[in-house]
Amino acid sequence: MLRSKQDRKSQTATDSQKKRVARKSRDTVDYRALAEFRLQLRRFLEFSEANTRKNNLTSQQYQALLTIKGLSRPDYHMSVGELADFLLVKNHTAVGLVDRMVKIGLLKRFRDSGDGRRILVMLTHKGERYLSNVAELNWAELRSRRLALAKVLKSFS
């Protein structure tokens, strides 16, 4: 069937509108869900930072202890460079942090036997204790927020 030029224009406009509506509904941002997620995250982070301070650690020290404990493999120690990557800081910042933590007995530092240029780190018994004190309360707090977080995260699917 032949269609007039006007019919073809009208059909093209309708197709265009449908595509825009489909794209708009697919790309629609749920601002409420984002705001609620951010609020829950900030509340947890505020709790965690206060808990960290009560246990005589800085936020960076706690993050370093948690990262080393949580992301190191049992048969492989984390390097200072890897720690920097995980903490999203420059290498020299991680070196300074590790130096301070070694000085107060939270970490042990040693050279990689396979590559003498790499410096590896591990928690001391004191570091394990400090981490455990903070992490146990943080874990309990996070678990208490899980229903609110689950509700928010469900809206992202």
Side-chain angles (χ1 to χ4, degrees), residues 7 24 37 72 88 94 96-97 103-104 117 129 142-143 147:
D7 287 344
K24 188 175 180 182
F37 176 73
S72 291
L88 305 175
L97 177 62
K103 194 173 192 173
I104 60 175
R117 298 169 298 174
R129 251 190 350 268
L142 193 55
R143 288 182 56 86
L147 294 177

Side-chain angles (χ1 to χ4, degrees), residues 50-61:
N51 181 31
T52 300
R53 284 189 302 272
K54 285 180 193 169
N55 283 278
N56 299 314
L57 288 174
T58 67
S59 182
Q60 268 196 327
Q61 289 169 338

